Amino acid sequence: MQVAIFQFSLFGINTYLVFDPDTKECAVIDPGMSSPEEEKAIENFIAEKGLTLTQIINTHLHIDHVAGIPYLQKNFNVPVLGHEGDKIMGHRIDQQAKMFGLEFPVQNIEISEYIEAGDKIKIGNGELEVIAVPGHSKGSIALYDPQGGFLISGDALFKGSIGRTDLPGGNYRELIESINKFLLSLPDETIVLPGHGPSSTIGEEKRTNPFLV
């Protein structure tokens, strides 16, 4: 599978579009669009590549990762996949907006289909494996493509850092345990595509991440 990366203005969120170039099926992961220009960037890419959007997948339900869901649901009528542990957060998007002082219109989010550790999400002929990494939020997940050699880590693991744990549902010890047990056990050459900031590899984070070494 191939991955297109979009960086949007809401906290510098990385939104990923994963697609099978053969079947043209695609999924949008963590849609963080918060303006008409950002919405068009996603829509135009889908149209130009001749893709069919089949689902929205969320690594967790903080506002910066879900702001673009209503637009995609309205225009493409596709389900939202996420972990049940973040269901309550989806119902509190308006509260999250107030907490961060955001003034653009927001909508609370309902998960259409629950996913959990071990699930395999089909995208055309490819698939993403669901890895549970609670700690940044109760329902945080990562998505791993062993054939493509990449991991979409959400806000669990960053280049040289880890996700914050001071928001509701966060737990520092749980996050460190999740990363060590389920992410650092992946092959060193695995490319890490985080929710914010530049990419890395599992091997690099093993060697240099000050929170993990």
Side-chain angles (χ1 to χ4, degrees):
M1 292 191 291
Q2 297 181 15
V3 184
I5 305 172
F6 301 82
Q7 187 176 79
F8 294 130
S9 58
L10 193 57
F11 305 129
I13 171 71
N14 291 331
T15 291
Y16 297 99
L17 192 151
V18 178
F19 63 99
D20 180 341
D22 295 325
T23 68
K24 301 294 186 179
E25 290 186 9
C26 72
V28 174
I29 299 170
D30 291 348
M33 310 90 76
S34 60
S35 71
E37 294 77 16
E38 293 177 348
E39 292 166 351
K40 280 298 179 184
I42 285 281
E43 186 173 357
N44 289 344
F45 184 90
I46 291 172
E48 289 168 3
K49 293 288 187 180
L51 303 176
T52 299
L53 181 63
T54 59
Q55 56 204 321
I56 301 163
I57 311 171
N58 270 86
T59 62
H60 62 292
L61 268 64
H62 284 153
I63 187 170
D64 49 333
H65 292 250
V66 304
I69 287 179
Y71 176 82
L72 292 178
Q73 285 191 302
K74 178 182 177 182
N75 288 274
F76 295 94
N77 190 31
V78 292
V80 177
L81 282 60
H83 194 282
E84 188 173 10
D86 276 10
K87 175 181 178 180
I88 294 176
M89 288 205 309
H91 295 167
R92 296 175 177 172
I93 301 300
D94 52 347
Q95 296 179 28
Q96 293 186 45
K98 291 178 182 177
M99 181 173 66
F100 289 109
L102 302 175
E103 297 182 352
F104 66 89
V106 298
Q107 295 182 32
N108 290 334
I109 302 299
E110 196 71 49
I111 298 172
S112 310
E113 300 176 16
Y114 293 128
I115 52 178
E116 58 186 26
D119 287 350
K120 292 178 171 58
I121 303 171
K122 296 287 293 183
I123 302 173
N125 293 320
E127 61 183 23
L128 295 173
E129 298 180 7
V130 178
I131 302 174
V133 283
H136 177 64
S137 72
K138 289 185 180 299
S140 284
I141 62 164
L143 299 162
Y144 176 50
D145 179 357
Q147 290 190 332
F150 66 84
L151 172 80
I152 296 175
S153 60
D155 282 3
L157 179 63
F158 301 119
K159 181 180 176 66
S161 189
I162 60 172
R164 61 188 294 184
T165 56
D166 59 335
L167 298 173
N171 183 302
Y172 180 83
R173 181 184 59 81
E174 190 173 35
L175 179 58
I176 294 295
E177 289 180 355
S178 297
I179 294 171
N180 280 319
K181 185 174 182 180
F182 299 115
L183 301 188
L184 297 190
S185 59
L186 298 175
D188 282 1
E189 63 272 19
T190 303
I191 298 169
V192 178
L193 301 172
H196 305 268
S199 62
S200 183
T201 66
I202 290 296
E204 180 179 354
E205 296 315 303
K206 282 183 181 179
R207 294 189 300 270
T208 65
N209 193 310
F211 294 90
L212 305 172
V213 297

